[in-house]
Amino acid sequence: MRIDPANPVPPTGIVRRFGMDQVPDHVPPELIRSAGIIYSPEFLGDPYKFFADMHEKFPPVFYDVGPFGNAWVMTKHEDALFALRHAEYFSNEDATPFPRDPENWFYFIPIEIDPPDHRKYRNIVDGIVSPQGVLKLEDRIRALANELIDDLIDKGECDFDEAFGRPLPVLVFLDLMGLPRDMCDTFVSWAMALLHSNDRQIMGDTLKTICDYLSIAIAEKQANPDDGLVSRIANAEFEGKPISEREAHGFVVFLFIAGLDTVFATLNNMWVWLAENPERRQEIIDNPDNINAQVEELLRVRSVTFSGRTVAQDIEIRGVKLKKGDKVTSILPACNFDPDVFPNPTEVDFSRPKKIILAFTVGVHSCMGAHLARLEIKIALQEWLRRIPDFKLKPGTKIEYRPGGVIGPEHVPLVW
């Protein structure tokens, strides 16, 4: 679906459906489910057991009906790979659920921009977020990790999420964006309201607050450029012409939202697993040269996001007919538990043969921050386990998950 990001208008012909009375006629009744993904007590009680069990409890393609929107759901690794790699069938237009003002519309860039226009936006930031680019940040990230550990190690306990899991990736991200560190708590509170309130009024109000702030930040970076991503986007040019106000706004807003919660949630999930599995934790410590495989396997079993698309033209998947305009969600954590690709999928195996992990999607819309996220996770594991190798969850802790589009525990209290 070709759109004009410089002159954005609300999408037409795309319908968001909610509830059983809005199921399209072409959906077979036997494929309709109310799975409870992200909000049911069963899901929130143990999301990763829920994801793994989906392969036995649900058809590989089914139509999920729920309060946050109806959509086809795919849980097979092969099907998600196809959807993520074929924009001609699965468009990213209207891929995000965040409510925008129809009178002041913008696209989330580049996630809502399909090829061929997608690449020109990625080119603006690729030099910073490429594997070579993020390696320049390694010393800074490692120093920050140790500063955070210095502040808590002698206490013998901490709320991991507040003391390490959040500040490590968020402060790195704010530095990368060129945004003020002293607003970290405010920024995170906006992200939590937007991603986890599950209230469209709160989401809309919060997004307006974010947009208002970032509009000022973009203007300031245009007047006073620096080396951050906001400045790079604000002052970008295409074929000798400056990026439009709406393009710059949509790009910066998307990066802001995407960078504040995913690695934070991922670290929290991983540290719960580490605290509950001391023998496996020791395996990581005893095999430092295997760190990259360890990161990948932990990403496989503790992925935190989904990937939504809009069907661009009629297509059949596993005998199921998807119609143009239908919404589709690839449940990436469930795909990473697909037994056809990962034998004994719930077992954490640091010597598992290398396969494509769908933690950061794949294809043209693969996560721009994937290389940075992997580096942050690697350094976090190395430095924490070097200095605090023996720890556990605080006695009496019950891990509770918040509903929302990024899967992570509310709190991770640790003792050592």
Side-chain angles (χ1 to χ4, degrees):
M1 301 179 189
R2 197 68 181 267
I3 59 179
D4 182 4
N7 299 285
V9 295
T12 58
I14 297 177
V15 179
R16 289 189 177 270
R17 303 176 187 274
F18 298 85
M20 196 66 72
D21 61 342
Q22 295 186 23
V23 175
D25 293 339
H26 64 270
V27 177
E30 66 272 17
L31 292 181
I32 300 173
R33 300 288 192 279
S34 291
I37 303 166
I38 81 170
Y39 67 90
S40 69
E42 181 184 5
F43 179 88
L44 295 175
D46 191 340
Y48 292 97
K49 183 179 186 305
F50 185 100
F51 289 134
D53 289 349
M54 289 187 78
H55 294 283
E56 296 182 0
K57 293 185 175 181
F58 298 99
V61 181
F62 66 92
Y63 193 81
D64 189 35
V65 174
F68 305 118
N70 300 354
W72 291 105
V73 164
M74 299 194 295
T75 60
K76 299 296 290 182
H77 190 275
E78 178 185 7
D79 299 340
L81 273 182
F82 183 86
L84 296 170
R85 286 172 166 169
H86 290 273
E88 70 271 25
Y89 289 107
F90 297 95
S91 171
N92 265 49
E93 184 178 2
D94 196 43
T96 61
F98 308 120
R100 281 155 279 185
D101 181 357
E103 302 301 320
N104 192 29
W105 191 263
F106 62 92
Y107 292 106
F108 288 106
I109 296 175
I111 193 171
E112 290 186 329
I113 310 300
D114 290 321
D117 295 326
H118 179 86
R119 172 42 55 187
K120 72 179 184 181
Y121 297 107
R122 293 287 291 253
N123 288 341
I124 297 172
V125 300
D126 269 358
I128 295 178
V129 298
S130 68
Q132 297 77 17
V134 300
L135 281 177
K136 298 175 183 178
L137 305 173
E138 181 171 3
D139 290 345
R140 190 188 315 175
I141 298 170
R142 203 172 293 277
L144 175 59
N146 279 287
E147 289 172 14
L148 295 171
I149 295 171
D150 287 343
D151 290 340
L152 58 85
I153 190 170
D154 292 336
K155 298 176 182 177
E157 65 177 332
C158 75
D159 288 329
F160 176 84
D161 47 299
E162 296 288 345
F164 191 90
R166 174 179 292 162
L168 180 68
V170 173
L171 292 178
V172 171
F173 171 73
L174 294 180
D175 289 347
L176 197 64
M177 290 285 280
L179 294 173
R181 279 190 175 196
D182 60 8
M183 287 195 65
C184 176
D185 291 343
T186 298
F187 293 154
V188 168
S189 71
W190 292 347
M192 293 297 104
L194 186 66
L195 295 169
H196 299 289
S197 69
N198 298 310
D199 182 306
R200 290 190 69 81
Q201 183 64 50
I202 294 174
M203 292 170 67
D205 292 345
T206 303
L207 184 58
K208 184 180 185 305
T209 298
I210 292 170
C211 288
D212 289 346
Y213 173 84
L214 291 176
S215 292
I216 296 172
I218 291 169
E220 290 177 346
K221 300 298 184 181
Q222 288 173 329
N224 301 287
D226 57 33
D227 295 329
L229 285 177
V230 176
S231 180
R232 178 171 289 219
I233 293 167
N235 296 285
E237 292 187 353
F238 303 124
E239 299 176 350
K241 297 180 181 180
I243 191 171
S244 74
E245 182 273 333
R246 290 285 80 191
E247 289 171 300
H249 182 80
F251 204 159
V252 171
V253 171
F254 170 67
L255 286 185
F256 180 88
I257 295 170
L260 287 175
D261 200 37
T262 50
V263 181
F264 164 42
T266 301
L267 289 174
N268 286 348
N269 281 313
M270 288 181 176
W271 257 251
V272 170
W273 185 87
L274 291 168
E276 293 176 335
N277 293 275
E279 298 86 1
R280 308 308 307 282
R281 187 173 70 227
Q282 190 61 44
E283 183 180 341
I284 296 174
I285 295 170
D286 292 341
N287 295 276
D289 293 339
N290 198 36
I291 185 65
N292 291 330
Q294 293 158 359
V295 169
E296 288 302 296
E297 181 68 348
L298 290 177
L299 280 170
R300 182 184 72 82
V301 297
R302 289 299 180 267
S303 302
V304 300
T305 60
F306 315 116
S307 187
R309 297 288 190 272
T310 301
V311 178
Q313 57 178 305
D314 294 0
I315 186 173
E316 189 171 299
I317 301 289
R318 295 185 186 270
V320 178
K321 294 180 179 179
L322 283 58
K323 296 288 188 179
K324 181 178 179 179
D326 286 353
K327 290 295 184 180
V328 180
T329 302
S330 296
I331 310 298
L332 301 181
C335 296
N336 285 334
F337 285 116
D338 186 345
D340 291 338
V341 179
F342 305 102
N344 301 314
T346 59
E347 176 187 347
V348 176
D349 180 0
F350 295 130
S351 61
R352 190 178 290 277
K354 189 172 183 179
K355 300 285 182 65
I356 295 174
I357 305 298
L358 297 180
F360 301 109
T361 77
V362 295
V364 296
H365 287 285
S366 60
C367 175
M368 290 183 293
H371 302 299
L372 177 60
R374 285 184 166 94
L375 180 62
E376 290 171 332
I377 294 165
K378 174 182 175 178
I379 290 172
L381 286 168
Q382 289 173 327
E383 298 307 316
W384 183 282
L385 294 180
R386 178 176 66 84
R387 300 186 62 185
I388 309 178
D390 187 18
F391 60 94
K392 61 184 178 181
L393 291 174
K394 190 173 184 178
T397 295
K398 182 180 184 299
I399 296 297
E400 297 181 352
Y401 284 81
R402 64 176 73 89
V406 178
I407 310 305
E410 286 277 8
H411 300 291
V412 185
L414 302 178
V415 295
W416 55 87

